[in-house]
Amino acid sequence: MASHNGSSVTEFVLLGLTQQPELQLPLFLLFLGIYVVSKLGNLGLTVLIGLNPHLHTPMYYFLFHLSFIDLCYSSVITPRMLMSFVNKNIIPYAECMAQLFFLGFFAIGECYILTSMAYDRYVAICKPLLYTVIMSHRVCFMMTVGVYAMGFVGALAHLVCMLRLTFCDSNVINHYVCDIPPLLRLSCSSTSINEAVVFIVVGVNVIGPSLAIFISYTLILSNIFSIHSRKGRSKALHTCSSHIIAVSLFFGALAFMYLMPSPAEALDQDKISSVFYTVMGPMMNPFIYSLRNKDVHIALKNILKKRIST
């Protein structure tokens, strides 16, 4: 078999989420349902925002890109995960590296799109008179370019470091995705550079956005509690609550997965924690942002009325 960068491994075997036979079918059906709901929810939200002019505001512009990222994110991960439940899941080396790249690209992209949404809420609540000036179309576009640029640079750094490693013994990945920690455990060459890159890239792209979001919401809450009207406080808190839930779910699971010490015996724990930000998050975000959102409800009703009338 042809080698890759001195590696004798040309393919990997993904063990999946569990090896217990009695759980394979129930979990397959569960995650298939989650995948379908995730695809429909995110696709529906992107189409709804794209078709409705009333939703062409900075808040929904960033929500559009969050839904797009989640739509792609789930497509990178879940199909391979489902294969592990029904058959031996063999993934070629090149495809594994591609999955690793896109996993990093969309994960980092989501970190920064959530940060952009927090900044948008800060400007809307703390500087309402300057909102249209600060959050102009040009600024929103440049922020979005930055989101995808940071995702590309971070993912490329991980990919380049992974390509330099040699895999010469086991090719069985105790995971449902070609992620960095389980791949590093398989390498028969030094992984010290990779581990340093993980802490630098993940640290910058998790801790940096987390601090920015924390500062934004500290200022937002300070401003909210200075509002004398109870109705005004309630409305402002309602505006931010959906984003706070999404941020807590995503960043909490991501930080636990990559920044906490992870001994070899904690592989199953890593897999379970990664489910929250790779599978559950993309499914939940459309519901988090739409179920309590009056603008989305009105836009959906208007589209349905147009469809019925035609």
Side-chain angles (χ1 to χ4, degrees):
M1 293 187 294
S3 64
H4 299 271
N5 294 339
S7 174
S8 60
V9 172
T10 59
E11 60 187 24
F12 294 100
V13 178
L14 293 168
L15 286 185
L17 193 61
T18 180
Q19 291 297 294
Q20 299 181 41
E22 67 275 12
L23 294 178
Q24 300 292 340
L25 181 58
L27 287 176
F28 172 81
L29 295 174
L30 172 64
F31 284 103
L32 178 61
I34 291 173
Y35 181 57
V36 171
V37 171
S38 177
K39 296 290 282 186
L40 292 176
N42 285 294
L43 183 60
L45 203 51
T46 55
V47 171
L48 186 65
I49 294 171
L51 292 179
N52 199 296
H54 297 293
L55 299 182
H56 293 176
T57 62
M59 174 182 172
Y60 293 104
Y61 174 80
F62 292 125
L63 182 55
F64 174 90
H65 283 279
L66 176 65
S67 295
F68 172 74
I69 288 171
D70 282 339
L71 190 65
C72 299
Y73 200 22
S74 61
S75 298
V76 168
I77 296 162
T78 314
R80 273 287 174 185
M81 181 186 193
L82 292 173
M83 287 178 62
S84 299
F85 292 126
V86 296
N87 202 354
K88 187 176 182 181
N89 192 359
I90 298 174
I91 182 170
Y93 178 93
E95 187 179 337
C96 184
M97 294 300 108
Q99 188 183 57
L100 175 78
F101 173 83
F102 286 109
L103 176 67
F105 177 72
F106 291 119
I108 295 171
E110 184 146 345
C111 288
Y112 285 101
I113 204 70
L114 289 171
T115 307
S116 301
M117 294 172 77
Y119 179 71
D120 172 71
R121 292 301 83 204
Y122 158 73
V123 177
I125 293 172
C126 299
K127 300 180 184 293
L129 298 178
L130 297 174
Y131 182 73
T132 55
V133 176
I134 296 175
M135 300 303 295
S136 65
H137 292 297
R138 183 175 180 276
V139 170
C140 291
F141 175 74
M142 293 304 295
M143 289 174 71
T144 309
V145 170
V147 166
Y148 292 109
M150 291 299 292
F152 178 80
V153 171
L156 186 63
H158 286 310
L159 177 63
V160 170
C161 289
M162 193 61 68
L163 289 174
R164 58 176 287 277
L165 296 182
T166 302
F167 299 94
C168 50
D169 296 318
S170 175
N171 68 335
V172 179
I173 301 175
N174 189 7
H175 212 289
Y176 58 85
V177 65
C178 287
D179 204 358
I180 297 168
L183 279 170
L184 293 183
R185 293 186 181 101
L186 290 184
S187 176
C188 51
S189 55
S190 174
T191 61
S192 57
I193 294 176
N194 298 71
E195 291 167 3
V197 169
V198 167
F199 275 98
I200 293 170
V201 175
V202 176
V204 167
N205 295 304
V206 173
I207 295 174
S210 297
L211 285 175
I213 292 171
F214 176 77
I215 292 169
S216 295
Y217 276 103
T218 300
L219 295 172
I220 287 170
L221 291 174
S222 175
N223 187 275
I224 287 173
F225 290 124
S226 68
I227 298 173
H228 298 293
S229 166
R230 183 177 179 179
K231 185 177 180 181
R233 287 198 300 269
S234 177
K235 184 178 179 181
L237 284 170
H238 183 271
T239 303
C240 299
S241 59
S242 297
H243 188 250
I244 292 172
I245 294 169
V247 165
S248 301
L249 176 67
F250 183 77
F251 279 94
L254 201 64
F256 184 83
M257 175 70 181
Y258 289 100
L259 297 180
M260 296 291 288
S262 183
E265 59 270 17
L267 285 171
D268 291 336
Q269 181 178 286
D270 285 351
K271 286 192 284 187
I272 294 169
S273 64
S274 66
V275 165
F276 284 95
Y277 74 88
T278 60
V279 180
M280 298 302 295
M283 181 199 70
M284 292 178 67
N285 282 342
F287 295 100
I288 291 171
Y289 286 102
S290 62
L291 288 179
R292 299 170 63 200
N293 192 308
K294 292 181 180 179
D295 292 335
V296 173
H297 293 170
I298 293 170
L300 184 59
K301 286 178 182 178
N302 290 338
I303 287 180
L304 291 175
K305 285 180 181 177
K306 289 179 181 179
R307 293 285 183 183
I308 293 171
S309 61
T310 54

